[in-house]
Amino acid sequence: MKKLNGFEKLKTSVFISGKGSNFYNLIKFSLKKNSPIRIKLLISNNSNAEGLKYAKKFHIKKKIYNYKNRLSTEKKIISELEKNKIKLICLAGYMKVLSKNFIKSFKGNILNIHPSLLPKYKGLNTHERAIKNKDKISGCTVHFVNSKIDSGKIIMQKKVRIFKKDTPKSLAKRILKQEHNLYPKAIRKLFSNL
Ligand code: GAR
């Protein structure tokens, strides 16, 4: 792998809606010397998102959009991304669906992390559904974002055992821990030749 310095790293924007533990984890990853990414911009649709505090802590520029109208909001987001020369978007618990147009304008350089073994359990309430179906294994997936929800090409997955005593909450906690390993690994897999 070619040595990366701060200027060669991929300018990255993370999109969040809530707690931001994946955002925090990606920040820590980005600060490693040989990480291929540099997080320049945080986007959130939620002004109360807990994860906004990490932008403050690590001096990352943040922008909040209230999404009254998707088309005009996305236009504003695209212009902010261009202004900051963003080359990669990492969705991390972003609960808004991006339009076909937005995805096209970003030429597929959008990744997402999802708390299930896709193609199983696209959408919401993945842990409830896995437990209800008496699955023995669930997990998480990092994938490219395309215009259909949770359906883009899979980059990496990690399996997690479901135990009899698991509740959606306990399973979510165990899977989230694995998400924190998987997202950086998937980014490395894609960009380690930079
Ligand atoms: C994560 O479990 C992530 O996989 C999930 O939201 C959580 C965000 O946690 N994403 C989705 O469900 C997207 N469909 P975080 O805010 O602590 O990173």
Side-chain angles (χ1 to χ4, degrees):
M1 179 173 146
K2 192 180 151 193
K3 269 207 162 173
L4 293 159
N5 64 37
F7 298 102
E8 287 173 311
K9 289 186 179 192
L10 268 180
K11 293 186 181 69
T12 301
S13 176
V14 180
F15 287 29
I16 67 164
S17 300
K19 269 181 76 181
S21 72
N22 275 290
F23 172 45
Y24 175 57
N25 184 62
L26 288 175
I27 295 173
K28 285 197 296 182
F29 170 61
S30 74
L31 295 174
K32 290 190 176 158
K33 211 171 163 194
N34 62 356
S35 160
I37 62 165
R38 174 154 75 94
I39 300 174
K40 268 200 89 179
L41 179 66
L42 173 70
I43 302 281
S44 179
N45 64 308
N46 174 10
S47 57
N48 293 317
E50 234 185 275
L52 294 173
K53 67 182 178 208
Y54 301 118
K56 193 167 179 214
K57 186 166 177 203
F58 291 91
H59 307 287
I60 293 167
K61 184 173 175 183
K62 65 168 189 288
K63 287 275 170 180
I64 297 156
Y65 296 93
N66 68 15
Y67 264 83
K68 274 194 188 121
N69 171 302
R70 183 167 79 166
L71 196 70
S72 69
T73 304
E74 285 191 346
K75 266 191 185 160
K76 286 183 206 157
I77 297 178
I78 289 174
S79 123
E80 193 60 36
L81 294 168
E82 284 172 351
K83 207 166 96 189
N84 288 281
K85 301 190 168 47
I86 299 298
K87 298 286 182 282
L88 175 71
I89 294 174
C90 292
L91 305 183
Y94 193 58
M95 294 310 186
K96 287 283 176 188
V97 176
L98 299 169
S99 73
K100 238 184 202 168
N101 220 25
F102 184 98
I103 293 163
K104 231 170 132 188
S105 77
F106 226 76
K107 295 191 201 98
N109 292 323
I110 310 177
L111 312 181
N112 182 41
I113 187 145
H114 184 75
S116 78
L117 292 176
L118 290 172
K120 253 191 160 178
Y121 308 128
K122 297 171 182 174
L124 300 174
N125 305 320
T126 54
H127 310 305
E128 283 88 335
R129 285 147 73 201
I131 289 172
K132 207 169 166 195
N133 284 342
K134 301 197 172 3
D135 289 356
K136 294 208 160 53
I137 288 177
S138 187
C140 47
T141 304
V142 175
H143 64 96
F144 285 106
V145 173
N146 68 9
S147 56
K148 289 191 193 133
I149 290 180
D150 301 326
S151 298
K153 191 173 174 238
I154 290 171
I155 301 159
M156 274 185 129
Q157 293 186 304
K158 174 75 184 172
K159 289 180 183 164
V160 174
R161 283 268 312 274
I162 303 179
F163 301 118
K164 278 214 172 96
K165 61 174 187 340
D166 262 325
T167 61
K169 203 173 161 193
S170 65
L171 180 59
K173 196 172 163 196
R174 266 200 334 283
I175 290 181
L176 191 61
K177 206 167 163 201
Q178 293 308 322
E179 291 182 34
H180 297 162
N181 285 324
L182 191 69
Y183 218 161
K185 256 194 192 168
I187 292 172
R188 272 204 201 285
K189 182 179 171 191
L190 289 174
F191 302 112
S192 61
N193 60 340
L194 278 179

